[in-house]
């Protein structure tokens, strides 16, 4: 296996400021990628500095990917910097609230869908024209095994949409030399988020519901544990690389045996 699988490739990583996104960005930098790091959070500037310290190129896009305008801007930044997008890693998403479905307000349901479905939809739409024109490209969507899980039904529905879009885009664009796959991440150990998805502290009931998610996640994994960021990153980079050249339309569960 080459240690520089992405030498000279232009790669967008969304949600690059924290967690899995940051891990993907740093791993790609070590393997020679030219990066566009997308995130609304100013923390992405720290990740760009880490990438550059590894000797890789990085530009920043502080784009709102829940909107079409933000995704189009991201594509424009990438093309202006590198002339193309070889790989798109759609990592934006994550449940905001933890509660039984009947507790969600209509506004919360819509916010969850905007957070965990629309960034992937819009970014795919933004990069596809130039990938089709070049007859090559790779898209890796970050999904979740929480398509079968409790207390985050809108998030589950959004990630189910990501899975469906992954399969259908792969069917539609295989003829264009474009591969589209997804990694369905399981529970993942990560440092506390420096910018939380929900700034409100959990009350006692919400803490019980959150513990319910943790317990269900561990029970659903055949390995009965959470994974590491590196274990998720390794799967994402495999699907992004030429090592998976005969794989498309696949949702790869990385959840210790939990198939989602």
């Amino acid at each position: 296996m080459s240690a520089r699988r992405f030498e000279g490739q232009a790669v967008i990583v969304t949600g690059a400021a924290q967690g899995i996104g940051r891990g993907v960005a740093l791993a790609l930098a070590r393997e020679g990628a030219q990066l566009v790091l997308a995130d609304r959070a100013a923390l992405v500037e720290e990740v760009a500095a880490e990438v550059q310290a590894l000797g890789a190129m990085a530009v920043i896009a502080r784009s709102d990917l829940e909107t079409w305008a933000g995704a189009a801007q991201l594509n424009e930044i990438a093309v202006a910097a590198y002339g193309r997008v070889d790989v798109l890693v759609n990592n934006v998403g994550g449940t905001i609230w933890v509660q039984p479905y009947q507790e969600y307000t209509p506004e919360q349901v819509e916010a969850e869908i905007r957070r965990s479905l629309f960034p992937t939809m819009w970014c795919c739409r933004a990069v596809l024209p130039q990938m089709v024109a070049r007859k090559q490209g790779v898209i890796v969507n970050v999904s979740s095994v929480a398509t079968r899980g409790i207390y985050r039904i809108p998030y589950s529905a959004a990630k189910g949409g990501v899975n469906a879009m992954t399969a259908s885009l792969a069917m539609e664009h295989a003829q264009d030399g474009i591969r589209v796959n997804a990694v369905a991440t399981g529970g993942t150990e990560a440092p506390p988020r420096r910018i939380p998805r929900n700034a409100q502290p959990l009350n006692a009931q919400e803490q019980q519901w959150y513990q319910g998610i943790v317990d269900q996640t561990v029970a659903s994994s055949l390995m009965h544990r959470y994974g590491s960021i590196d274990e998720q990153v390794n799967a994402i980079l495999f699907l992004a690389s030429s090592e998976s050249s005969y794989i498309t339309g696949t949702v790869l569960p990385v959840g210790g045996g939990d198939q989602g």
Side-chain angles (χ1 to χ4, degrees), residues 172-260:
E172 189 167 291
H173 289 290
Q175 64 184 1
D176 298 312
I178 299 167
R179 294 191 300 109
V180 187
N181 292 293
V183 168
T185 61
T188 304
E189 295 283 359
R193 291 182 64 84
R194 293 168 63 185
I195 299 178
R197 297 186 181 102
N198 184 353
Q200 297 299 318
L202 299 180
N203 62 36
Q205 177 60 80
E206 290 166 338
Q207 289 175 16
Q208 288 183 6
W209 287 331
Y210 186 85
Q211 187 60 48
I213 284 180
V214 172
D215 294 344
Q216 179 257 297
T217 298
V218 173
S220 296
S221 166
L222 301 183
M223 295 182 177
H224 299 304
R225 67 171 176 87
Y226 270 42
S228 68
I229 286 178
D230 284 346
E231 286 172 319
Q232 304 299 340
V233 168
N234 290 340
I236 292 166
L237 262 65
F238 166 68
L239 288 177
S241 77
S242 60
E243 292 176 359
S244 61
S245 58
Y246 195 47
I247 301 174
T248 196
T250 294
V251 178
L252 173 63
V254 185
D258 185 346
Q259 301 298 303

Side-chain angles (χ1 to χ4, degrees), residues 12-67:
I12 292 175
V13 181
T14 73
Q18 302 184 75
I20 292 172
R22 174 181 173 273
V24 168
L26 295 178
L28 286 165
R30 295 184 189 100
E31 296 205 31
Q34 300 172 328
L35 291 162
V36 181
L37 306 177
D39 207 291
R40 289 187 296 194
L43 296 176
V44 73
E45 296 175 12
E46 297 179 16
V47 180
E50 291 181 277
V51 163
Q52 290 161 353
L54 292 169
M57 296 176 62
V59 295
I60 294 170
R62 296 281 301 279
S63 305
D64 182 0
L65 301 180
E66 293 181 11
T67 69

